[in-house]
Amino acid sequence: MTLSKAPAIHPGEILRDLYLEPLGMSPYALAKTLRVPRTRIERIVAEKIGISADTALRLAKFFRTTPELWLNLQSTYDLKKQSAELGPELAQIPELGEAA
């Protein structure tokens, strides 16, 4: 199992830097447009919470992307963070076909 060595990038950073800032849009304005609580978008762009399927669908509709884009960003972030935390433990697990 190998993940790229690139740093884990939170999807909130992508949302903030590549979508909201270029549009001059605040998290509050986006939340209002998406019909979600203001705190949800604020916490995502502050990198405190992740993107749910519900949020991914709403972001995809508004930004004309796919929900998979947003969920893949979240999934990649989660895997990289967890892989870094579990690294030593994962190294002790043999792969199928290796002697235990």
Side-chain angles (χ1 to χ4, degrees), residues 21-90:
E21 287 178 1
L23 292 172
M25 184 177 230
S26 70
Y28 172 78
L30 179 61
K32 188 174 180 182
T33 300
L34 298 183
R35 300 177 182 193
V36 298
R38 156 189 67 77
T39 54
R40 183 188 307 185
I41 302 302
E42 288 173 349
R43 289 177 182 156
I44 290 170
V45 299
E47 303 177 27
K48 293 181 179 176
I49 65 169
I51 292 180
S52 66
D54 177 273
T55 303
L57 287 164
R58 293 168 189 268
L59 290 170
K61 170 73 171 153
F62 180 70
F63 290 116
R64 296 207 256 180
T65 63
T66 65
E68 291 85 2
L69 167 75
W70 299 102
L71 290 178
N72 285 340
L73 288 169
Q74 186 64 53
S75 173
T76 300
Y77 175 79
D78 292 343
L79 285 169
K80 286 185 176 193
K81 293 298 277 187
Q82 197 66 49
S83 177
E85 291 175 22
L86 291 177
E89 187 175 344
L90 291 173

